[in-house]
Amino acid sequence: MRHTLNIVVLDRSSVGEDVSVEPLRKYGNVTFHMTTRDEEAADRVKDADIIVVNKTPMNACTLEGASHLKLVCEFATGYDNVDLEYCRKRGIPVVNVVNYSTAAVAQHTISCVLYILEKLRYYDDYVKTGIYASQPRFSHFGLPYYELDGKTWGIVGMGNIGRRTAAIAAAFGCRVIYFSTSGKSSCGEYTRVDFDTLLKESDVITLHCPLNDRTRNLIDWDALEKMKKTAVLVNVARGAVVNEADLCRALKEDQIMGAGIDVLSQEPINPDNPLLQIRDSSRLLITPHMAWASVEARTRVVTETCKNIEAFLRGEPRNVLNP
């Protein structure tokens, strides 16, 4: 290993400019790129000892010329952009950051449910447009809203985020049930049910599962038809877990009460996405894939990446994806 390491950060913008990445400088000479297009990657990493990346593809095409490369660090948990087998064959460990956004995503999940359930956009607008000031009564409750206490909260995917969300839901007085998309969940704190049971019994359904062949289009028209008409759906997993055209139809036809969506099948959102037809924010809340991105979570990404590098320099495996 050369004395001074060359560290190339390909996706600096992925942690936000309000979060410092200066701690990385203590491990070598660091070159920061805010974003990197696929065709720029090979040239930018050719002299790198360590690459820090989020979305840029890391494969034979982009890494072939990086003859000094010793470590690839994901600035995230996901690693779909990396060819793990190629890196393994070259003896290049790939590491990621785990569990850094659990609190943030669970918090956002709850926020979405409360926003839809309590019709907060409608009531805020009611006051700020001056209608409330002109009415004769002290109160207004023109759109019905409901308590969580006593309701059934269904969770799809009982990993770290699912469990954190379940604990918060239980604290609100909800009965929590869950469906394991892999069929391998060992969580004994809550009742595991089959998918149809979860759809039919849940007042709230929140999605926290990975995207794979089992979960793609899991929430389609058939599933939406089985849900309660008073149900709220929240997707903080991956966009393609929900069939967006079917969800749009379900909202238009009052098949479910409302939905909160933080992830989409194409990001940034395609201008032709059918969900953009739903303009009523008391029925549909869409946020731009930011549930994970609290200041604390993004700071943890940098801190944990530094710990991954330190462990590698000590010769200790930490969060290695391709041992």
Side-chain angles (χ1 to χ4, degrees), residues 52-65:
V52 180
V53 64
N54 186 303
K55 296 298 184 185
T56 307
M58 296 284 96
N59 51 39
C61 181
T62 54
L63 298 179
E64 185 178 19

Side-chain angles (χ1 to χ4, degrees), residues 6-200:
N6 286 328
I7 301 172
V8 178
V9 180
L10 293 175
D11 301 299
R12 161 71 179 92
S13 65
S14 66
V15 294
E17 294 184 59
D18 57 327
V19 168
S20 175
V21 292
E22 290 302 302
L24 290 169
R25 293 191 186 279
K26 62 185 169 185
Y27 307 111
N29 297 322
V30 185
T31 302
F32 293 107
H33 300 283
M34 293 303 292
T35 59
T36 298
R37 297 194 304 271
D38 294 2
E39 62 271 21
E40 296 174 322
D43 183 64
R44 289 183 173 181
V45 304
K46 65 181 186 296
D47 295 321
D49 295 294
I50 297 174
I51 297 172
V52 180
V53 64
N54 186 303
K55 296 298 184 185
T56 307
M58 296 284 96
N59 51 39
C61 181
T62 54
L63 298 179
E64 185 178 19
S67 58
H68 304 298
L69 185 61
K70 299 168 181 64
L71 179 68
V72 174
C73 296
E74 281 284 0
F75 239 2
T77 300
Y79 50 89
D80 294 350
N81 60 312
V82 180
D83 186 335
L84 295 180
E85 185 58 30
Y86 171 79
C87 291
R88 182 186 292 112
K89 288 178 179 177
R90 283 191 51 185
I92 301 166
V94 179
V95 297
N96 69 341
V97 179
V98 296
N99 207 26
Y100 69 93
S101 64
T102 297
V105 178
Q107 176 177 299
H108 188 81
T109 302
I110 304 301
S111 298
C112 288
V113 172
L114 293 176
Y115 183 90
I116 297 295
L117 197 69
E118 295 207 351
K119 309 299 182 187
L120 294 178
R121 174 65 181 269
Y122 167 81
Y123 285 110
D124 186 52
D125 286 347
Y126 188 85
V127 174
K128 291 178 179 175
T129 56
I131 302 174
Y132 179 48
S134 65
Q135 73 169 40
R137 305 178 309 279
F138 79 96
S139 180
H140 173 77
F141 39 91
L143 282 185
Y145 71 95
Y146 304 90
E147 298 175 358
L148 281 172
D149 186 52
K151 299 297 190 296
T152 296
W153 190 302
I155 290 180
V156 178
M158 194 58 88
N160 290 332
I161 295 171
R163 287 173 188 248
R164 178 68 70 92
T165 302
I168 300 172
F172 272 105
C174 292
R175 165 192 175 231
V176 176
I177 59 177
Y178 76 97
F179 169 66
S180 171
T181 59
S182 68
K184 299 176 181 178
S185 176
S186 59
C187 178
E189 300 168 67
Y190 309 102
T191 302
R192 178 173 160 182
V193 297
D194 61 44
F195 189 46
D196 276 4
T197 299
L198 182 130
L199 293 171
K200 292 173 183 177

